[in-house]
Amino acid sequence: MTRPPVRTGTPGAAGTTGAVHFSLLGPLTARRDGRDLPLGPRKQRLVLATLLARPNTPVPVDVLTDAVWPDDPPRTARKNLQVYISAARALLGPGGDGGTGRLVHGCGGYLLRISEGELDTLRFGSLARAGRAAAERGDLPGAARLLREALDLWEGPPLNDLRDSSGVADEADRLEARCLTVYEDWAEAEIELGRAAVAVDGLRDLVERHPLRERLRAAWMNSLHQSGRQAEALAVYDDYRQLMARELGLEPSPAMAALYRSMLGRGREVRRPAAPRETPSRVTLPAGTGAFTGRREELRDLLDVLGGGEERVVVVSGPGGVGKSALAVRAAQLLADPFPDGRVHVRVRGEDGTARGRAEILAELGRWCGVAEARASGASAEVPGSAGAPAVLAEAWQEWQARHRALVVLDDVPDEASVRGLLPRSGKCSVLVTARGQLPGLAPVHRIALPPLADGEALELLGKLIGAGRLRTDPAAALRIVRACGGLPLAVEVSGMRLAVLRHLPLAEYADRLDDPSAALDELVAGDVSVRHRIASGWRDLADGDRWVLGRLAGLTDDGCFTLDRATVALGCGERAAIRAVEALIDAGAVTSPAGEVTAHAALYEVPRLLCLFAREQEAAGEQGAAGEQGAAGGRTGAPAAPALSPG
């Protein structure tokens, strides 16, 4: 592959003297003090590349194994993997216990802790987000400068020396898609500023490598047109039309066709490749929180998938309080350009946690887009609330989505039935769904399972609320606090709000309170914000049988982790029934499972700490209630009846 014409400078300094700087945006390299470091044999480099492609995130052992031995791992694979991990630790140099503290092994796999100054992809993502935020504020010169700085880190096809490994190739393709999206953002900013000439040649080369990427081609047409090369711009469209017909049997999108027609008319300079709007852009997003922290990988994934137009429906799932809504709102705020017809946020539950009616949600969407109310009022004199009105509203909503390009955030969805009729059947609208459960009945969708915050992200969030100075007074106690919160953003925020008010309270004393299982949930209350209340809402969503199972599983271990064998014993059922019971809780978002493929016997499942504490409370309360009933009935004995689980 030829190198893309995007590098006009050199990356910034790698950080402190002696630090290793890694690069994935091109061949895999590592440099210390400007000198390239040897990275060892190919398999060792594959392990390092896989870890670096998922920085500050646990990488399951099976993912590393598949990257190195995709077909038939040898019997010594695990031992060889440990050798490669040791080599990576040595390369990282001093840090923690001789590098061990930076590359650690836990329940989720191997986690590599690395900072933005040490890895080009992290720096790239930071600059890209800053550039998009500047564009959102209307600062186009600043946006162009920041996006250009990000692109200066792109040295060629990512990990181009290791793409013969399918696992690494998937990561490399994802990185290249991010780079292309940022290049498109930068080119459109330059075109908007009247500086199209700086982007023409680069766009031509990238279109040659990605001929079906419409946004690239539209930017190339715009840059040629603004540079006075109208005939070439029109030829770009004609080539694209023929390619689409030949390869896919399709026509260019309406937005692309509209761009072509506007150029044929020799009108004023065409700038952004957006379709003409029938109505002004509408935005009804809640204000973002200034404490939003971390979630860099997940936010990048959302921006790439929704901004690239590759998926129309994305589901973000995770337990209550894990930050799904905050992430969705943050992504929607940054996605103004791809959705010129508006961005709307709709809560699918009411304030009491119960699901809102479908007709009520459709009526809200109709008021937002300005079409459904008129349609409903003229349909056989039906009124909202009657049997026919929801169908009329639903059809009007689908027609509006087919004609527009908007982003709809459906927040806190209880089940598939609540949203199935709201999802677009055609057109360019996208829907971002947040839900506690996995919503497995929705397909095809792009899925993001939101994990707890990593220690570093949780500490950053706590520091924003109580002040970095106070955090530094006792960093060990601060770490105990965020770990006692289970990395749950809501719990960390509540802890921060309490400590911000209780300025006299030492961090160590508050950490002791949270470490006490009998008191932790009582401590996680700040004003009218209660972690127990949020967990209780999710508990009520579970079926009676699932609640009983969760209570039994929560009592297995102190840390909430358990194996299938232990679950089988605790539930008193056969293996097959235990698997079904555990998987039902995974679908509901109450139990986490390892990433990647692994047999049920080898898996280590986990109930999040605070949910575990709540489930134990409910289990204890149920046993006390049952004991009271037995005493009142004349001394009957025996535990409460468990749901019938087949022995499998």
Side-chain angles (χ1 to χ4, degrees), residues 151-162:
L151 292 172
D152 284 345
L153 300 173
W154 186 18
E155 297 183 304
L159 297 170
N160 56 23
D161 54 333
L162 298 173

Side-chain angles (χ1 to χ4, degrees), residues 565-620:
D565 291 339
R566 297 195 66 182
T568 302
V569 174
L571 299 178
C573 63
E575 177 184 297
R576 192 169 300 171
I579 291 175
R580 286 197 295 268
V582 170
E583 289 180 349
L585 290 175
I586 292 173
D587 285 347
V591 168
T592 60
S593 61
E597 294 185 4
V598 63
T599 62
H601 283 288
L604 186 64
Y605 304 96
E606 183 178 6
V607 181
R609 179 179 187 259
L610 298 179
L611 175 57
C612 199
L613 297 181
F614 183 87
R616 290 174 189 168
E617 284 183 356
Q618 299 302 306
E619 183 84 352

Side-chain angles (χ1 to χ4, degrees), residues 95-114:
D97 302 324
T100 305
R102 301 189 61 188
L103 181 51
V104 297
H105 184 263
C107 288
Y110 286 98
L111 184 145
L112 173 59
R113 297 189 177 105
I114 193 164

